[in-house]
Amino acid sequence: MHLKRDLEMTDMRSREVDLLVVEDNPADARLIELLLSEVGGFNCRRAATLGEAIAGAGAEPPDAVLLDLSLPDAHGIETVERFRAAAPALPIVICTGLDDESMGLLALQHGCQDYLVKGQGDGNLIRRTILYAIERKAVEEERRATAERLKRVLLQTVRSLSLTLEMRDPYTTGHQRRVAQLSTAIGRQMGLSDATVEGLRTGGLLHDIGKIHIPAEFLSRPGKLSAEVHKVIRMHPQMGWEIMKDIEFPWPVADMIRQHHERLDGSGYPLGLKGDEIILESRIIAVADVLEAISSHRPYRPALGLDVAIQELRDHSGSRYDPAVVRACIAVVEEKGVGILDEDAPPPL
Ligand SMILES: [Fe+2]
């Protein structure tokens, strides 16, 4: 990756930089072009409006853009927002008559790479600023691509872990994925942030990972569970927490797992937590888990169906389950049907 960027930069130094000067004042534009022609290395083309700039950048993307913040069809930071929306990959140096430090910082926060004030500095300064902006943008893009890749790898790893458990227990194949799917839909219905919803997906995919500790014959044993088997199965939230607690997820995944069998009235396990002591993510996964489990087949009983699952949630809303979560869950199922459980099937790994 770095080698590719080094080669690009070498290429940039050996040819002229294609610069789009977005400036409505012809005298200002001419001055910039004159200063840059004196230092050399630039091929300047001009746009007098934001519309022209966006069209020009789209037709033939330049190496960099020198952007005035005061144009006939756009003003201030809105200029940056609209240009970036149209051409997010281009390095932008703001060039404005406003001698305003805070506007410069604001432009950087909105994704620009640097800031020049008209009439300040010579051609060398403009040249250095543009070359630096191009390099900085390349680094930013590289970081963004790496972060995206890591995010994908994390999700693929989580899905693989999830499948590892389900391969031992064919009766619950797809259970964690469906709980993840329903949990994220409930989270969205409740208006939670994208980050929290992503965390719910991970927590849902792994919520039963502690069952890896349960002997396989216990998992698929038909008929009613004995007290002994029940006791071992009830250890899975704690075992899941033990497995996940040292992974630095950006979400409280280990706690989501440990608390997914806790109940609002303190009747759950393993800790007997009550109400808000249970994190919201676990209150959501608990509801999704109950709905999915009751409406699906289990070795010790046939599927009871969606209506029975919803009745269980309604009967115990406020005692076992968070009423806001139950409301959101029912809204999701009523709106999208039970098919919600099988949306977003992962690609084969
Ligand atoms: Fe569970």
Side-chain angles (χ1 to χ4, degrees), residues 263-311:
R263 297 294 178 250
L264 234 52
D265 55 9
S267 64
Y269 60 91
L271 303 170
L273 300 177
K274 285 183 178 173
D276 288 350
E277 289 169 354
I278 309 164
I279 59 172
L280 175 62
E281 289 92 332
S282 294
R283 284 180 264 145
I284 292 173
I285 292 170
V287 165
D289 190 20
V290 165
L291 186 121
E292 202 289 326
I294 295 181
S295 57
S296 305
H297 174 76
R298 284 291 180 273
Y300 44 88
R301 57 149 178 77
L304 299 173
L306 196 60
D307 292 344
V308 176
I310 288 182
Q311 199 53 52

Side-chain angles (χ1 to χ4, degrees), residues 117-230:
V117 178
K118 285 179 195 173
Q120 291 184 2
D122 57 9
N124 277 313
L125 177 75
I126 301 172
R127 177 181 175 275
R128 271 200 315 274
T129 304
I130 292 167
L131 292 181
Y132 171 71
I134 293 171
E135 173 66 7
R136 187 170 156 181
K137 181 68 177 177
V139 172
E140 284 172 14
E141 283 295 305
E142 206 174 290
R143 280 205 193 123
R144 194 189 51 75
T146 303
E148 286 286 315
R149 198 168 53 249
L150 281 177
K151 217 171 135 182
R152 276 199 310 278
V153 168
L154 178 61
L155 183 58
Q156 287 160 349
T157 308
V158 165
R159 280 177 168 157
S160 292
L161 263 176
S162 185
L163 280 176
T164 305
L165 174 72
E166 294 187 1
M167 278 177 180
R168 291 184 73 234
D169 180 11
Y171 287 98
T172 55
T173 298
H175 166 71
Q176 294 186 109
R177 181 175 54 72
R178 289 194 293 269
V179 168
Q181 181 56 22
L182 184 55
S183 298
T184 54
I186 294 171
R188 285 199 196 95
Q189 178 76 22
M190 294 176 77
L192 304 182
S193 69
D194 288 349
T196 305
V197 169
E198 270 312 296
L200 276 171
R201 184 185 308 283
T202 303
L205 281 168
L206 296 175
H207 73 278
D208 275 342
I209 195 73
K211 285 188 178 172
I212 204 98
H213 150 90
I214 301 171
E217 62 271 24
F218 281 22
L219 293 172
S220 52
R221 193 173 283 185
K224 210 164 161 45
L225 302 176
S226 71
E228 172 217 8
V229 172
H230 219 82

Side-chain angles (χ1 to χ4, degrees), residues 73-116:
D73 54 348
H75 194 78
I77 211 69
E78 177 214 346
T79 317
V80 174
E81 287 171 343
R82 285 174 52 196
F83 189 83
R84 290 244 318 130
L90 291 181
I92 302 172
V93 173
I94 296 302
C95 187
T96 176
L98 301 166
D99 189 357
D100 185 346
E101 203 82 51
S102 59
M103 183 56 85
L105 286 172
L106 196 61
L108 294 183
Q109 286 162 4
H110 280 72
C112 295
Q113 278 60 54
D114 216 328
Y115 184 72
L116 284 169

